[in-house]
Amino acid sequence: MRAAIYRGPGEITVEEVSKPEIESPTDAIVRVTHTAVCGSDLWFYRGESDREEGSPVGHEPMGIVEAVGEDVRSVDPGDRVFAPFKISCGRCEFCRKGLHTSCANGDSWGGDNGGAQGEFVRATEADGTLVRVPDRHADDEATLEAVLPLTDVMGTGHHAAVSAGVGKGDTCVVVGDGAVGLCGVLAARRLGAERIVAMGHHEDRLELAESFGATETVAARGDEAVERARELTYGGPTHVMECVGAASAMDSAIDLCRPGGTVGYVGVPHGVDDAGLDVFSLFQDNVTLRGGVAPVRAYAEELLADVLQGTLDPSPIFTKTVDLDGVPEGYRAMDEREAIKVLVKVEH
Ligand SMILES: [Zn+2]
Ligand SMILES: [Zn+2]
């Protein structure tokens, strides 16, 4: 089969690799039809985080089940499924708590499972990991493109909103106008927030944030952005969603949070270990920091129901579509901020 492989910073190639096969009774093989390039893929692409050269990439698979191991009960060959960015069993202590990202039997995509930016993956723990799309929606292209973000960014944006305690009538600020921040706006609106201030650096992305439900936008940087967001929210919001992960975004989020408020953080921490986290500013205003890597499997059914009902549609985050051979171009376009998020349609 063909799959995208990491060959070093700035270098993704599409190569012929061996196709994954059923190895254990809980495995399923999925023929990937749709996948995506993630903002978090850019960290290794830019050489800012380590990744083994020669490793398959991609962690947002959707496709058709091709084969299942003898213990798999929840899906059959021919089913349309998607999977979160982490494999989870659904039955261990952590999965039962809704913390699928800490699954005792969990795994990541890549390695010998195959990366999701390839023709096939092996889902170990298929019953816990794969989410079935009902047959009547299984071949509707527009619906599938709206479902695909549930593999990662939509679930992650939702986790930011839930972690920040966003509810009916609330005012919140979303820090970050990438795919996760934009999905965070959708999530806050879905949870009933009345005022949603989106903060970012890109006019076009902030326009999309408005169409997703942001009531105000702030397109400034650093202290000026914090000042502006504070003004708009009469001294800072009680609910801040940090959707970037960079140390500067985390600082802004904590800085602008109203005393006694909560910062829900979901961005993969980046550079925070150099700068350090200013615990004192949390301390002096009783600001709570909640969140972490999003257990998107826990939210999949709930969000899928809304997508299928037509009340939730994150698909406008895909501003560029490529085929499997176009994956290297997809990385480039995201790296150069030409695309918010790249959809990959895998032809077979
Ligand atoms: Zn991702
Ligand atoms: Zn588990």
Side-chain angles (χ1 to χ4, degrees), residues 251-305:
D251 287 346
S252 298
I254 292 170
D255 218 19
L256 67 87
C257 190
R258 197 174 199 84
T262 303
V263 175
Y265 77 109
V266 296
V268 180
H270 192 75
V272 180
D273 39 352
D274 310 324
L277 181 65
D278 183 8
V279 177
F280 190 76
S281 59
L282 295 168
F283 176 81
Q284 73 180 351
D285 282 324
N286 277 267
V287 166
T288 301
L289 193 56
R290 279 188 71 198
V293 58
V296 304
R297 183 63 188 84
Y299 305 129
E301 279 84 4
E302 175 189 347
L303 296 175
L304 179 63

Side-chain angles (χ1 to χ4, degrees), residues 38 40 59-60 152:
C38 191
S40 66
H59 56 255
E60 295 156 303
D152 186 346

